[in-house]
Amino acid sequence: MSEPYRDAEAPTSARRRALPAWSRPVLRALAWLAGGVFAGALAVLMLLAVALSVAYPNLPEISGLTDYRPKLPLRVISADGVLLGEFGEERRLFTPIDRIPPVMQQAVLAIEDARFYRHSGVDYLGVIRAGLAQFNKAKSQGASTITMQVARNFYLSTEKTFTRKIYEILLALKIESQLSKKQILEVYMNQIFLGQRAYGFAAASEIYFGKPLQDVTVAEAAMLAGLPQAPSAYNPIANPQRATRRQQYIIQRMVENAFITEEEGEAARKQVLRYRTPVDTGVHAEYVAETVRQLVQAQYGEETTTRGLNVHVTVDSGDQAAAYRALRRGLLNYERRQVYRGPEDYVDLPKDAKELDARIAEALADHADNDELKAAVVLEASPRKVVAVLQSGEAITVTGEGLKPVTSGLSEKAGPKTQIRPGAVVRAVKGAKGDWTLTQQPEVEGAFVSMDPNTGAIRALVGGFDFGKSKFNHVLQAWRQPGSSFKPFIYSSALEKGFTPLTVVNDAPLFFDAGSTGSQPWEPKNYDGKFDGPMPLRTALAKSKNMVSIRVLQSVGVHYAQEWITRFGFEADKHPPYLTMALGAGSVTPMQMVSAYAVFANGGHRVNPALITRVTDSKGRLLLDTPPKPVDESTRVIDERNAFVMSQLMGEVTRAGTAAQVYQVFKRPDLHGKTGTTNDSMDAWFAGYQPNLAAVVWIGYDNPRKLGDRETGGGLSLPVWIEYMTHALKRLPVQDAAVPEGLVQRGGDWVFEEYAAGAGVSSVGLDEKAPQAPSDEERRSILDLFRR
């Protein structure tokens, strides 16, 4: 022990003499290198000093940061708080720093800038390393703090040069002098691009995990924190292995920086992450969202999709989901009854089994899944069994009833363009029991809309089978003939002219010349081709007798009826004053129909459809507040008695008429409605309501053509309405309507008291001469006499 100690204490000159001769050149080289490093560092610092004095005064203003206003998308939010749609090039959900969970902040700091709260915006040791890297012609300078990244993302190009690095440093210093650390971190965590069009960690959390940022775990936060460096390379869905390696490293960094304990880190490393897949699209409300965007665009112009507007709407997400499913199911069920038009495409399958999967994936890239309507490539086909592969790689086997919709395509006589054979691209739908059915993409279209009749609030709106296929909103834009679903409005006008549910009208053949129809001679028929003779008005509406409706309109007068229907919101010029109006030969939209039926549901008030309730900006400030208003006497358009009696008549339709299935399913007395099928079955309708909910279904082809000889509103549209109502009525208890004053009961039917003693129209068409209905003046006189 004594020798080393003495040597350590020996004079320096003695130790120098003791060194071997070969070590002296090495020491001189090291001394030269140290001098070089010092000189390099000194040069870098001198350059910084010069740049600071020359360039700093010319740096851009950073008002974009001090008054940070990121491009925020327009968001459409349901009445129950569910995101229905989002519009904007950048998907961003601005979140104040105080609402970003600590675990997310810590994950970012651990990997990007652990000393963020301890430096002044620049890591000087890193800057020196960057300067030396430049001398060595290295491309990566590194050492970018979060503040420097903010400076680069807002104001500088992405090129890696020494000059840009100087400006980056100077801008970082300027930013730190004007913003607090929290403000800088807030900007960074909301502005940074994280792939999938997501900007900011709040949006990324929704997109990758389908959950609010406030709910992320340590493992999820670490995965998100790995994205800024290379969003594509570290995308956990596209590149799970690479992303996981970076996530594990970030978790370790969080432990090393004491953000989490070793035990928390170990738990995070073991957590299995669940990602939001492309099929997790949430509520299908594309038509609702697009309608909102158009309405907001008219008010806010170019800022609509950039200023972070949150538009709250009346639509209920549960009702919307039920409506979407019901309409699609109805259209797909109809499609299964149609002639099979053939596969969408044919592909050549490789003989080598190893190449098969890639070829199938390539083929289906051009035939995307349409929600539950899956695309598949056929591997094996016979009249008894089809084996096909889905886009997911899953092989399915279809047999029995699942092949019925494509029977003609499996026949030996099938043509080359309709035959299902190996390589054919087909569509398949999975049943509730896991069985598969082959079908085809519908050509038929449809619309569904429901409304609160007391406020006009839209509860659900589905404008077509698939928004991706057609942006045309059939609820708002499709002008179609309403057929028999229009009859209640003709009957309503008749109640004002002395008709009652007891009025007997002859269901007998009619013939009209051109002058009565406005076009050509007309010999109308009933749907079933039968004539049942005299019957009360109640029975005639329940059975949807065309001859009766025509005779009623003939008695009331076409011009009076034309004016009357405008009370419900219909446009007079869309319903020419001819007798064909009795059969719904005019033009309506589904939105008009639901608003019109709402008049009967709410006791005689006309309500305007309401969709937007309020608009707020990204900071929650209220910009617009327009809650739907309940009806009052100022909105009345028909007598309460008229609405009540019409509901009783349409209650007979749903109890024992063309829509008797309604009562069979629900066993409720408060459901009313009317089926509608136009001439040649080109349009199928059902419009119905409960006192607190009205809903309308339409089905037809965009280019009108026959749906089929046996296709009716009761067979096509009514099942859709029933499926939706099965969901909606769960929250609506049975409601008995109060009988308005001025009505008396006769033979189980309610009639206006002024006509109870036989003063009204007792019969029509029994002598084939339509009696003249009393004028308004005559009616008032009769009422005065009756009340005396």
Side-chain angles (χ1 to χ4, degrees), residues 105 108-114 116-117 119 121-122 143-153 172 175-176 181 184-189:
Q105 297 184 44
V108 169
L109 294 176
I111 190 61
E112 295 293 337
D113 191 353
F116 175 71
Y117 284 102
H119 62 59
V122 179
S144 288
T145 64
I146 283 178
T147 311
M148 292 166 70
Q149 291 184 55
V150 169
R152 179 170 66 244
N153 290 337
I175 290 169
E176 290 266 350
K181 286 288 188 180
I184 296 169
L185 189 58
E186 179 180 89
V187 169
Y188 176 82
M189 298 194 73

PDB file of all heavy atoms in Angstrom, residues 105 108-114 116-117 119 121-122 143-153 172 175-176 181 184-189:
ATOM      1  N   GLN A 105     -48.615  14.308 -19.879  1.00  0.00           N
ATOM      2  CA  GLN A 105     -47.557  15.316 -19.885  1.00  0.00           C
ATOM      3  C   GLN A 105     -46.219  14.679 -19.539  1.00  0.00           C
ATOM      4  O   GLN A 105     -45.192  14.965 -20.173  1.00  0.00           O
ATOM      5  CB  GLN A 105     -47.889  16.419 -18.881  1.00  0.00           C
ATOM      6  CG  GLN A 105     -49.159  17.200 -19.206  1.00  0.00           C
ATOM      7  CD  GLN A 105     -49.396  18.337 -18.226  1.00  0.00           C
ATOM      8  OE1 GLN A 105     -48.469  19.070 -17.882  1.00  0.00           O
ATOM      9  NE2 GLN A 105     -50.636  18.488 -17.765  1.00  0.00           N
ATOM     10  N   VAL A 108     -44.647  12.609 -22.378  1.00  0.00           N
ATOM     11  CA  VAL A 108     -44.064  13.474 -23.407  1.00  0.00           C
ATOM     12  C   VAL A 108     -42.739  14.055 -22.935  1.00  0.00           C
ATOM     13  O   VAL A 108     -41.738  14.053 -23.657  1.00  0.00           O
ATOM     14  CB  VAL A 108     -45.048  14.594 -23.785  1.00  0.00           C
ATOM     15  CG1 VAL A 108     -44.365  15.655 -24.639  1.00  0.00           C
ATOM     16  CG2 VAL A 108     -46.240  14.015 -24.534  1.00  0.00           C
ATOM     17  N   LEU A 109     -42.719  14.573 -21.709  1.00  0.00           N
ATOM     18  CA  LEU A 109     -41.489  15.160 -21.172  1.00  0.00           C
ATOM     19  C   LEU A 109     -40.381  14.113 -21.067  1.00  0.00           C
ATOM     20  O   LEU A 109     -39.209  14.402 -21.338  1.00  0.00           O
ATOM     21  CB  LEU A 109     -41.761  15.799 -19.812  1.00  0.00           C
ATOM     22  CG  LEU A 109     -42.694  17.007 -19.802  1.00  0.00           C
ATOM     23  CD1 LEU A 109     -42.943  17.479 -18.379  1.00  0.00           C
ATOM     24  CD2 LEU A 109     -42.107  18.144 -20.637  1.00  0.00           C
ATOM     25  N   ALA A 110     -40.734  12.886 -20.683  1.00  0.00           N
ATOM     26  CA  ALA A 110     -39.734  11.838 -20.498  1.00  0.00           C
ATOM     27  C   ALA A 110     -38.972  11.555 -21.779  1.00  0.00           C
ATOM     28  O   ALA A 110     -37.756  11.326 -21.751  1.00  0.00           O
ATOM     29  CB  ALA A 110     -40.410  10.565 -19.985  1.00  0.00           C
ATOM     30  N   ILE A 111     -39.660  11.596 -22.906  1.00  0.00           N
ATOM     31  CA  ILE A 111     -39.000  11.234 -24.160  1.00  0.00           C
ATOM     32  C   ILE A 111     -38.529  12.455 -24.942  1.00  0.00           C
ATOM     33  O   ILE A 111     -37.554  12.385 -25.691  1.00  0.00           O
ATOM     34  CB  ILE A 111     -39.938  10.373 -25.042  1.00  0.00           C
ATOM     35  CG1 ILE A 111     -39.169   9.804 -26.222  1.00  0.00           C
ATOM     36  CG2 ILE A 111     -41.141  11.169 -25.508  1.00  0.00           C
ATOM     37  CD1 ILE A 111     -38.025   8.905 -25.837  1.00  0.00           C
ATOM     38  N   GLU A 112     -39.206  13.586 -24.789  1.00  0.00           N
ATOM     39  CA  GLU A 112     -38.889  14.742 -25.619  1.00  0.00           C
ATOM     40  C   GLU A 112     -37.999  15.780 -24.918  1.00  0.00           C
ATOM     41  O   GLU A 112     -37.147  16.395 -25.555  1.00  0.00           O
ATOM     42  CB  GLU A 112     -40.184  15.427 -26.085  1.00  0.00           C
ATOM     43  CG  GLU A 112     -41.035  14.581 -27.005  1.00  0.00           C
ATOM     44  CD  GLU A 112     -40.379  14.328 -28.354  1.00  0.00           C
ATOM     45  OE1 GLU A 112     -39.500  15.117 -28.753  1.00  0.00           O
ATOM     46  OE2 GLU A 112     -40.742  13.326 -29.009  1.00  0.00           O
ATOM     47  N   ASP A 113     -38.216  15.971 -23.616  1.00  0.00           N
ATOM     48  CA  ASP A 113     -37.499  17.083 -22.960  1.00  0.00           C
ATOM     49  C   ASP A 113     -37.672  16.970 -21.444  1.00  0.00           C
ATOM     50  O   ASP A 113     -38.449  17.695 -20.828  1.00  0.00           O
ATOM     51  CB  ASP A 113     -38.071  18.411 -23.470  1.00  0.00           C
ATOM     52  CG  ASP A 113     -37.221  19.610 -23.071  1.00  0.00           C
ATOM     53  OD1 ASP A 113     -36.269  19.429 -22.305  1.00  0.00           O
ATOM     54  OD2 ASP A 113     -37.529  20.726 -23.537  1.00  0.00           O
ATOM     55  N   ALA A 114     -36.893  16.080 -20.825  1.00  0.00           N
ATOM     56  CA  ALA A 114     -37.051  15.819 -19.391  1.00  0.00           C
ATOM     57  C   ALA A 114     -36.716  17.042 -18.540  1.00  0.00           C
ATOM     58  O   ALA A 114     -37.215  17.199 -17.431  1.00  0.00           O
ATOM     59  CB  ALA A 114     -36.186  14.633 -18.979  1.00  0.00           C
ATOM     60  N   PHE A 116     -37.426  20.143 -19.265  1.00  0.00           N
ATOM     61  CA  PHE A 116     -38.237  21.244 -19.803  1.00  0.00           C
ATOM     62  C   PHE A 116     -38.457  22.364 -18.792  1.00  0.00           C
ATOM     63  O   PHE A 116     -38.322  23.555 -19.111  1.00  0.00           O
ATOM     64  CB  PHE A 116     -39.585  20.686 -20.291  1.00  0.00           C
ATOM     65  CG  PHE A 116     -40.550  21.742 -20.754  1.00  0.00           C
ATOM     66  CD1 PHE A 116     -40.337  22.444 -21.946  1.00  0.00           C
ATOM     67  CD2 PHE A 116     -41.680  22.056 -20.000  1.00  0.00           C
ATOM     68  CE1 PHE A 116     -41.241  23.416 -22.373  1.00  0.00           C
ATOM     69  CE2 PHE A 116     -42.577  23.021 -20.424  1.00  0.00           C
ATOM     70  CZ  PHE A 116     -42.362  23.707 -21.619  1.00  0.00           C
ATOM     71  N   TYR A 117     -38.791  22.011 -17.569  1.00  0.00           N
ATOM     72  CA  TYR A 117     -39.095  23.035 -16.560  1.00  0.00           C
ATOM     73  C   TYR A 117     -37.838  23.616 -15.900  1.00  0.00           C
ATOM     74  O   TYR A 117     -37.940  24.490 -15.046  1.00  0.00           O
ATOM     75  CB  TYR A 117     -40.023  22.463 -15.486  1.00  0.00           C
ATOM     76  CG  TYR A 117     -41.461  22.345 -15.953  1.00  0.00           C
ATOM     77  CD1 TYR A 117     -41.996  21.123 -16.346  1.00  0.00           C
ATOM     78  CD2 TYR A 117     -42.283  23.476 -16.018  1.00  0.00           C
ATOM     79  CE1 TYR A 117     -43.311  21.021 -16.775  1.00  0.00           C
ATOM     80  CE2 TYR A 117     -43.597  23.382 -16.442  1.00  0.00           C
ATOM     81  CZ  TYR A 117     -44.099  22.149 -16.830  1.00  0.00           C
ATOM     82  OH  TYR A 117     -45.410  22.062 -17.254  1.00  0.00           O
ATOM     83  N   HIS A 119     -34.824  24.424 -17.933  1.00  0.00           N
ATOM     84  CA  HIS A 119     -33.987  25.210 -18.851  1.00  0.00           C
ATOM     85  C   HIS A 119     -34.771  26.416 -19.375  1.00  0.00           C
ATOM     86  O   HIS A 119     -35.974  26.543 -19.134  1.00  0.00           O
ATOM     87  CB  HIS A 119     -33.465  24.344 -20.002  1.00  0.00           C
ATOM     88  CG  HIS A 119     -34.538  23.760 -20.885  1.00  0.00           C
ATOM     89  ND1 HIS A 119     -35.439  24.521 -21.581  1.00  0.00           N
ATOM     90  CD2 HIS A 119     -34.833  22.457 -21.195  1.00  0.00           C
ATOM     91  CE1 HIS A 119     -36.243  23.747 -22.283  1.00  0.00           C
ATOM     92  NE2 HIS A 119     -35.904  22.483 -22.046  1.00  0.00           N
ATOM     93  N   GLY A 121     -35.298  27.157 -22.499  1.00  0.00           N
ATOM     94  CA  GLY A 121     -35.732  26.949 -23.869  1.00  0.00           C
ATOM     95  C   GLY A 121     -34.679  26.325 -24.752  1.00  0.00           C
ATOM     96  O   GLY A 121     -34.986  25.840 -25.837  1.00  0.00           O
ATOM     97  N   VAL A 122     -33.415  26.343 -24.301  1.00  0.00           N
ATOM     98  CA  VAL A 122     -32.318  25.805 -25.110  1.00  0.00           C
ATOM     99  C   VAL A 122     -31.458  24.895 -24.234  1.00  0.00           C
ATOM    100  O   VAL A 122     -31.098  25.255 -23.117  1.00  0.00           O
ATOM    101  CB  VAL A 122     -31.441  26.933 -25.700  1.00  0.00           C
ATOM    102  CG1 VAL A 122     -30.298  26.335 -26.524  1.00  0.00           C
ATOM    103  CG2 VAL A 122     -32.278  27.882 -26.542  1.00  0.00           C
ATOM    104  N   ALA A 143     -30.904  17.725 -30.100  1.00  0.00           N
ATOM    105  CA  ALA A 143     -30.910  18.717 -29.019  1.00  0.00           C
ATOM    106  C   ALA A 143     -32.095  19.667 -29.069  1.00  0.00           C
ATOM    107  O   ALA A 143     -32.045  20.723 -28.490  1.00  0.00           O
ATOM    108  CB  ALA A 143     -29.608  19.516 -29.033  1.00  0.00           C
ATOM    109  N   SER A 144     -33.162  19.324 -29.791  1.00  0.00           N
ATOM    110  CA  SER A 144     -34.330  20.206 -29.863  1.00  0.00           C
ATOM    111  C   SER A 144     -35.192  20.040 -28.620  1.00  0.00           C
ATOM    112  O   SER A 144     -35.729  18.965 -28.369  1.00  0.00           O
ATOM    113  CB  SER A 144     -35.164  19.884 -31.107  1.00  0.00           C
ATOM    114  OG  SER A 144     -34.516  20.315 -32.271  1.00  0.00           O
ATOM    115  N   THR A 145     -35.297  21.100 -27.864  1.00  0.00           N
ATOM    116  CA  THR A 145     -36.201  21.100 -26.715  1.00  0.00           C
ATOM    117  C   THR A 145     -37.631  21.234 -27.228  1.00  0.00           C
ATOM    118  O   THR A 145     -37.878  21.490 -28.410  1.00  0.00           O
ATOM    119  CB  THR A 145     -35.891  22.276 -25.790  1.00  0.00           C
ATOM    120  OG1 THR A 145     -36.147  23.497 -26.505  1.00  0.00           O
ATOM    121  CG2 THR A 145     -34.447  22.247 -25.325  1.00  0.00           C
ATOM    122  N   ILE A 146     -38.591  21.083 -26.326  1.00  0.00           N
ATOM    123  CA  ILE A 146     -39.994  21.253 -26.722  1.00  0.00           C
ATOM    124  C   ILE A 146     -40.223  22.666 -27.236  1.00  0.00           C
ATOM    125  O   ILE A 146     -40.945  22.874 -28.225  1.00  0.00           O
ATOM    126  CB  ILE A 146     -40.919  20.919 -25.537  1.00  0.00           C
ATOM    127  CG1 ILE A 146     -41.012  19.393 -25.373  1.00  0.00           C
ATOM    128  CG2 ILE A 146     -42.302  21.529 -25.720  1.00  0.00           C
ATOM    129  CD1 ILE A 146     -41.848  18.936 -24.217  1.00  0.00           C
ATOM    130  N   THR A 147     -39.600  23.649 -26.608  1.00  0.00           N
ATOM    131  CA  THR A 147     -39.768  25.031 -27.060  1.00  0.00           C
ATOM    132  C   THR A 147     -39.207  25.202 -28.467  1.00  0.00           C
ATOM    133  O   THR A 147     -39.808  25.896 -29.301  1.00  0.00           O
ATOM    134  CB  THR A 147     -39.051  25.989 -26.096  1.00  0.00           C
ATOM    135  OG1 THR A 147     -39.420  25.678 -24.748  1.00  0.00           O
ATOM    136  CG2 THR A 147     -39.419  27.431 -26.401  1.00  0.00           C
ATOM    137  N   MET A 148     -38.060  24.586 -28.732  1.00  0.00           N
ATOM    138  CA  MET A 148     -37.469  24.682 -30.075  1.00  0.00           C
ATOM    139  C   MET A 148     -38.353  23.973 -31.106  1.00  0.00           C
ATOM    140  O   MET A 148     -38.476  24.426 -32.245  1.00  0.00           O
ATOM    141  CB  MET A 148     -36.060  24.092 -30.056  1.00  0.00           C
ATOM    142  CG  MET A 148     -35.072  24.935 -29.234  1.00  0.00           C
ATOM    143  SD  MET A 148     -33.523  24.057 -28.864  1.00  0.00           S
ATOM    144  CE  MET A 148     -32.788  23.987 -30.495  1.00  0.00           C
ATOM    145  N   GLN A 149     -38.979  22.867 -30.717  1.00  0.00           N
ATOM    146  CA  GLN A 149     -39.886  22.171 -31.634  1.00  0.00           C
ATOM    147  C   GLN A 149     -41.098  23.043 -31.954  1.00  0.00           C
ATOM    148  O   GLN A 149     -41.567  23.069 -33.097  1.00  0.00           O
ATOM    149  CB  GLN A 149     -40.341  20.851 -31.026  1.00  0.00           C
ATOM    150  CG  GLN A 149     -39.236  19.804 -30.931  1.00  0.00           C
ATOM    151  CD  GLN A 149     -39.750  18.480 -30.408  1.00  0.00           C
ATOM    152  OE1 GLN A 149     -40.688  17.918 -30.960  1.00  0.00           O
ATOM    153  NE2 GLN A 149     -39.151  18.002 -29.328  1.00  0.00           N
ATOM    154  N   VAL A 150     -41.590  23.757 -30.958  1.00  0.00           N
ATOM    155  CA  VAL A 150     -42.711  24.670 -31.199  1.00  0.00           C
ATOM    156  C   VAL A 150     -42.291  25.753 -32.180  1.00  0.00           C
ATOM    157  O   VAL A 150     -43.025  26.093 -33.115  1.00  0.00           O
ATOM    158  CB  VAL A 150     -43.196  25.285 -29.872  1.00  0.00           C
ATOM    159  CG1 VAL A 150     -44.173  26.437 -30.131  1.00  0.00           C
ATOM    160  CG2 VAL A 150     -43.852  24.215 -28.998  1.00  0.00           C
ATOM    161  N   ALA A 151     -41.086  26.304 -31.969  1.00  0.00           N
ATOM    162  CA  ALA A 151     -40.576  27.340 -32.873  1.00  0.00           C
ATOM    163  C   ALA A 151     -40.468  26.809 -34.297  1.00  0.00           C
ATOM    164  O   ALA A 151     -40.868  27.468 -35.266  1.00  0.00           O
ATOM    165  CB  ALA A 151     -39.208  27.823 -32.386  1.00  0.00           C
ATOM    166  N   ARG A 152     -39.954  25.587 -34.444  1.00  0.00           N
ATOM    167  CA  ARG A 152     -39.771  25.009 -35.768  1.00  0.00           C
ATOM    168  C   ARG A 152     -41.114  24.712 -36.435  1.00  0.00           C
ATOM    169  O   ARG A 152     -41.325  25.021 -37.611  1.00  0.00           O
ATOM    170  CB  ARG A 152     -38.960  23.711 -35.646  1.00  0.00           C
ATOM    171  CG  ARG A 152     -38.730  23.011 -36.976  1.00  0.00           C
ATOM    172  CD  ARG A 152     -37.728  21.875 -36.829  1.00  0.00           C
ATOM    173  NE  ARG A 152     -38.220  20.798 -35.997  1.00  0.00           N
ATOM    174  CZ  ARG A 152     -37.677  20.437 -34.830  1.00  0.00           C
ATOM    175  NH1 ARG A 152     -36.637  21.083 -34.343  1.00  0.00           N
ATOM    176  NH2 ARG A 152     -38.168  19.435 -34.136  1.00  0.00           N
ATOM    177  N   ASN A 153     -42.043  24.152 -35.684  1.00  0.00           N
ATOM    178  CA  ASN A 153     -43.332  23.764 -36.264  1.00  0.00           C
ATOM    179  C   ASN A 153     -44.151  24.965 -36.708  1.00  0.00           C
ATOM    180  O   ASN A 153     -44.930  24.879 -37.659  1.00  0.00           O
ATOM    181  CB  ASN A 153     -44.136  22.936 -35.260  1.00  0.00           C
ATOM    182  CG  ASN A 153     -43.524  21.564 -35.038  1.00  0.00           C
ATOM    183  OD1 ASN A 153     -42.793  21.060 -35.886  1.00  0.00           O
ATOM    184  ND2 ASN A 153     -43.803  20.971 -33.886  1.00  0.00           N
ATOM    185  N   ALA A 172     -36.738  30.125 -29.935  1.00  0.00           N
ATOM    186  CA  ALA A 172     -37.050  29.463 -28.667  1.00  0.00           C
ATOM    187  C   ALA A 172     -36.836  30.418 -27.498  1.00  0.00           C
ATOM    188  O   ALA A 172     -37.644  30.489 -26.567  1.00  0.00           O
ATOM    189  CB  ALA A 172     -36.199  28.205 -28.507  1.00  0.00           C
ATOM    190  N   ILE A 175     -39.645  32.905 -27.510  1.00  0.00           N
ATOM    191  CA  ILE A 175     -40.893  32.292 -27.023  1.00  0.00           C
ATOM    192  C   ILE A 175     -40.870  32.172 -25.513  1.00  0.00           C
ATOM    193  O   ILE A 175     -41.847  32.489 -24.830  1.00  0.00           O
ATOM    194  CB  ILE A 175     -41.085  30.906 -27.684  1.00  0.00           C
ATOM    195  CG1 ILE A 175     -41.409  31.074 -29.175  1.00  0.00           C
ATOM    196  CG2 ILE A 175     -42.194  30.125 -26.986  1.00  0.00           C
ATOM    197  CD1 ILE A 175     -41.355  29.774 -29.950  1.00  0.00           C
ATOM    198  N   GLU A 176     -39.750  31.739 -24.976  1.00  0.00           N
ATOM    199  CA  GLU A 176     -39.651  31.571 -23.519  1.00  0.00           C
ATOM    200  C   GLU A 176     -39.763  32.901 -22.787  1.00  0.00           C
ATOM    201  O   GLU A 176     -40.162  32.955 -21.628  1.00  0.00           O
ATOM    202  CB  GLU A 176     -38.325  30.888 -23.171  1.00  0.00           C
ATOM    203  CG  GLU A 176     -38.244  29.430 -23.587  1.00  0.00           C
ATOM    204  CD  GLU A 176     -38.634  28.468 -22.469  1.00  0.00           C
ATOM    205  OE1 GLU A 176     -38.790  28.931 -21.323  1.00  0.00           O
ATOM    206  OE2 GLU A 176     -38.782  27.260 -22.746  1.00  0.00           O
ATOM    207  N   LYS A 181     -44.108  28.405 -19.181  1.00  0.00           N
ATOM    208  CA  LYS A 181     -43.828  27.016 -19.517  1.00  0.00           C
ATOM    209  C   LYS A 181     -45.130  26.253 -19.812  1.00  0.00           C
ATOM    210  O   LYS A 181     -45.198  25.443 -20.745  1.00  0.00           O
ATOM    211  CB  LYS A 181     -43.075  26.336 -18.371  1.00  0.00           C
ATOM    212  CG  LYS A 181     -41.622  26.756 -18.242  1.00  0.00           C
ATOM    213  CD  LYS A 181     -40.789  26.170 -19.379  1.00  0.00           C
ATOM    214  CE  LYS A 181     -39.297  26.418 -19.142  1.00  0.00           C
ATOM    215  NZ  LYS A 181     -38.474  25.849 -20.229  1.00  0.00           N
ATOM    216  N   ILE A 184     -46.408  27.065 -23.270  1.00  0.00           N
ATOM    217  CA  ILE A 184     -45.603  26.429 -24.320  1.00  0.00           C
ATOM    218  C   ILE A 184     -45.966  24.951 -24.447  1.00  0.00           C
ATOM    219  O   ILE A 184     -46.166  24.433 -25.552  1.00  0.00           O
ATOM    220  CB  ILE A 184     -44.103  26.594 -24.031  1.00  0.00           C
ATOM    221  CG1 ILE A 184     -43.715  28.073 -24.079  1.00  0.00           C
ATOM    222  CG2 ILE A 184     -43.265  25.783 -25.023  1.00  0.00           C
ATOM    223  CD1 ILE A 184     -42.330  28.361 -23.548  1.00  0.00           C
ATOM    224  N   LEU A 185     -46.070  24.274 -23.316  1.00  0.00           N
ATOM    225  CA  LEU A 185     -46.414  22.850 -23.355  1.00  0.00           C
ATOM    226  C   LEU A 185     -47.835  22.651 -23.888  1.00  0.00           C
ATOM    227  O   LEU A 185     -48.110  21.688 -24.616  1.00  0.00           O
ATOM    228  CB  LEU A 185     -46.279  22.248 -21.952  1.00  0.00           C
ATOM    229  CG  LEU A 185     -46.407  20.719 -21.860  1.00  0.00           C
ATOM    230  CD1 LEU A 185     -45.352  20.045 -22.738  1.00  0.00           C
ATOM    231  CD2 LEU A 185     -46.285  20.252 -20.412  1.00  0.00           C
ATOM    232  N   GLU A 186     -48.733  23.557 -23.563  1.00  0.00           N
ATOM    233  CA  GLU A 186     -50.114  23.484 -24.057  1.00  0.00           C
ATOM    234  C   GLU A 186     -50.148  23.583 -25.579  1.00  0.00           C
ATOM    235  O   GLU A 186     -50.830  22.802 -26.257  1.00  0.00           O
ATOM    236  CB  GLU A 186     -50.954  24.593 -23.434  1.00  0.00           C
ATOM    237  CG  GLU A 186     -52.410  24.627 -23.908  1.00  0.00           C
ATOM    238  CD  GLU A 186     -53.180  25.746 -23.251  1.00  0.00           C
ATOM    239  OE1 GLU A 186     -53.180  26.872 -23.807  1.00  0.00           O
ATOM    240  OE2 GLU A 186     -53.786  25.506 -22.190  1.00  0.00           O
ATOM    241  N   VAL A 187     -49.385  24.543 -26.114  1.00  0.00           N
ATOM    242  CA  VAL A 187     -49.323  24.693 -27.571  1.00  0.00           C
ATOM    243  C   VAL A 187     -48.758  23.425 -28.203  1.00  0.00           C
ATOM    244  O   VAL A 187     -49.310  22.906 -29.187  1.00  0.00           O
ATOM    245  CB  VAL A 187     -48.462  25.914 -27.958  1.00  0.00           C
ATOM    246  CG1 VAL A 187     -48.174  25.908 -29.452  1.00  0.00           C
ATOM    247  CG2 VAL A 187     -49.166  27.199 -27.556  1.00  0.00           C
ATOM    248  N   TYR A 188     -47.668  22.940 -27.665  1.00  0.00           N
ATOM    249  CA  TYR A 188     -47.025  21.757 -28.228  1.00  0.00           C
ATOM    250  C   TYR A 188     -47.978  20.564 -28.237  1.00  0.00           C
ATOM    251  O   TYR A 188     -48.107  19.866 -29.263  1.00  0.00           O
ATOM    252  CB  TYR A 188     -45.774  21.413 -27.411  1.00  0.00           C
ATOM    253  CG  TYR A 188     -45.093  20.132 -27.858  1.00  0.00           C
ATOM    254  CD1 TYR A 188     -44.220  20.142 -28.935  1.00  0.00           C
ATOM    255  CD2 TYR A 188     -45.338  18.934 -27.197  1.00  0.00           C
ATOM    256  CE1 TYR A 188     -43.591  18.970 -29.355  1.00  0.00           C
ATOM    257  CE2 TYR A 188     -44.718  17.756 -27.608  1.00  0.00           C
ATOM    258  CZ  TYR A 188     -43.853  17.786 -28.682  1.00  0.00           C
ATOM    259  OH  TYR A 188     -43.255  16.634 -29.095  1.00  0.00           O
ATOM    260  N   MET A 189     -48.654  20.302 -27.139  1.00  0.00           N
ATOM    261  CA  MET A 189     -49.474  19.103 -27.018  1.00  0.00           C
ATOM    262  C   MET A 189     -50.778  19.188 -27.790  1.00  0.00           C
ATOM    263  O   MET A 189     -51.449  18.181 -27.998  1.00  0.00           O
ATOM    264  CB  MET A 189     -49.731  18.790 -25.541  1.00  0.00           C
ATOM    265  CG  MET A 189     -48.461  18.506 -24.768  1.00  0.00           C
ATOM    266  SD  MET A 189     -48.721  17.745 -23.166  1.00  0.00           S
ATOM    267  CE  MET A 189     -49.195  16.075 -23.626  1.00  0.00           C
TER     268      MET A 189
END
